[in-house]
Amino acid sequence: MSSLQEARSYEAEVSPNFRSSYSETLAKLEHQYCKLLEHSSWRLQSLESLHAFVSHCTEELIWLNEREEEEIAFDWSDSNTNMNAKREMYNDMRLEFAEKRDVMRSLQETAARLCQENHPAKQTVEAYSAALQTQWQWVDQLCVCVEQHLKDNTSYFQFMSDARDCESYLRQLQDTIKRQYTCDKNSRLSKLEDLLQDSMEEKEQLIEYKSTLASLVGRAKTVVQLRPRSAESMLGTTIPIRAICNYRQIEITINQGEECVLEDNSQRTKWKVISPTGNEAMVPSVCFTVPPPNQEAIDTASRAEQMYQKVMSLWHQLHVNMKSVVSWNYLLKDIRTVSEWTLDTVRRQSPSERQHILDHLESQLTDFLSDSKESSLFTAAERRELEKDVQQALQHCQDLLVNMESVEKDESVSRSYLSELQDVNLRLNETEHRLMRGIEPLPSSRLSGNISDKIIQIAEQEKLQSELDVLRSSLGDLSRRCVHFFEEKPTSSSVPVLRSELNQALERTDNLHNLSSVYLEKLKTVEVLLRSLDEAESQVRKYESRLSEEDTVPADTAAIQNLKDQLQRWQAEVADQESIFQALQAQRSSQRGGV
C-alpha cells in the first residue's frame, strides 16, 4: 500500500508524454491491489472459520474418543461388581452427551454452511464433519451397549447376590429346624405339641419362600454369561454371542441383534469374532453380549433348589418324628388307661362310654401307624409291638366283660342265696321270738300251775322244735348249695358276704335248736316236778287229814299209847318221805333257776 502511495506521488513528476500511460497503469495496479486485498481478506476469514471449526471439531472428537476408549476399556466381566458406580458415571456421561448434542448440531450446521459457501477447505470441513458424525453415532451405539450391559450385569450380580442370600437363608433355616425340632421319645408331650404348631408356621414360610426360589430358578435361565469377558477365562471352544449394536468396518459388518461366534477372547477389550457372513475381525467386546444359558447361574439355582428340597425333607422328617412321638404318647396313655381297667371300672361304665374309649384307642393306633410310617424314631418291630400291646389291652377289656358277665351271674346266684338266707333269718326271728317268749322267767305261782298247761306248753315247744328241725334241714340244703358255689367260684367278690351270712344263719340256727331242745327238756322236767309235787301234796293232805281226825286226847292210857304209837308210825313214814321232799325241793329250786 505504501508503494502504491509512493508511485502515486511520482505521478506528477512523470513527463506528460508518459503520464497518461503511467496513470492508466497505476490505476490498473491499484485495482489489482484492491482485488488482491479483498481476496486476502476472504482467505483470512476462511482460514479463521476453518480453524475455529476444526478446533471445535477436534475438541469434540477428543471428548468422543475419550468416551469411546473409556467404554471400550471398561471391565464388564464378573470380577467388576460395582455397577452402581458405573451407572452414576454413565448417567453423568449421558447428561454431558445430551448437552453435547446441541454442540454437535451447531457444528453440523456450521459445516453445512461452510460447504454451502463453497469454503476453500470444503473437503476438510466435510471430512471433519463426517468423522464427527461417525464418532458421535459410534459413541451413541456404545451408549446402547453400556445400557444393555448395565441391565444384564445388574441382573447377573443381583441374581448371584439373591442366590447367595437364598443359600445362606436356607442353611440357617436348616440349622434352626434341626436344632429346634429334633426330638426323641423322652421329649415332653406339651413341648412337642407347641413345637408341632410352630413347625406348621415354619412350613408356611417355606411354602411362601418357594415362590422366591422359583423366581430365582426362572431368572437363572435369563442371566447372561460374564465369565468369557475375563481374559483369564480361556475358551475351550467357540461360543455364540449376540450383537448389541451395529458395527461397520471395512473387513466386517455386523447388525444389531445378529448372532455371531466368539472365536478368541484372549484380549479383554477386543474379541476375534466371526460374523453371520463368515467374515472374521477383531471387534470391541463391548459390542456383544454372551447370551444365556449361563451354566454357572443354572447350577447355582439348582444348588439352592436342592438345598430347599433338603430343608423341606428335613422339616418333613422332623415333623413326622414329632408327630409320631405325640401319637405314641397318646396311644400309650390310652393303652395304660384300658390296661388298668378293673372289673369295678368296667361295671361303672356305660356301654357307650366304654365303646367310645375303645374306639378312641383303635383310632389312636391307626393315627400312630400312619404318623410313624416314615418316622426314624420307631422301627417296624416297635410298631408291631405297640400293635400287640393294643390287642392285649382290647383282650383285657374283653376278658373283663366276660368276667363281668360271670360275676353278674355269680352275684345273681349269690343274691338268690342271700334272699333265701334272709327268709331263713326271718323265720329264725319269728321262731326266736316265740321261743324267748316261752322261756321268759315266770312268777313262782305259775310254777305250781296246772299240769295240763304244762302239757300244752310242751306240745307247743315240740311243734316249735319240729319247725326248727325243718328249718335246719332247709338251711342244710341251702348250705350245701352255697358250699358248692364257694368251691366253683372261690374268687367271686360275693363269696365273703354270702359265707358270712351263711355262717351266721347256721350258728344262729344251731343255737336256737340247742336252746329249744334244752327248753323242751326243762319243760318235761317241770312236768315231772309238778306231778311229784301233786303227789307230795296229796301225802301231806292225807297226814293232815289224819291228824285233824285226832283232835281230842284219849282219856285212858292205852288209848293214848295207841295214839302215840300211831303218831310214831306216821312220823316214821314222814321221815321216810323226807328225802323225797328234800330232793324235790332241790330239783324244784334248780329248775326254777334254769327256767
Side-chain angles (χ1 to χ4, degrees), residues 341 345 348-358:
W341 280 355
T345 306
R348 286 194 301 268
Q349 294 170 338
S350 65
S352 60
E353 178 187 1
R354 181 169 54 253
Q355 190 60 44
H356 174 73
I357 296 174
L358 295 178

Side-chain angles (χ1 to χ4, degrees), residues 493-512:
S493 60
S494 59
V495 166
V497 175
L498 181 59
R499 189 189 300 276
S500 175
E501 291 293 328
L502 177 62
N503 291 336
Q504 290 179 9
L506 289 171
E507 182 180 0
R508 189 178 179 192
T509 301
D510 289 341
N511 291 337
L512 283 176

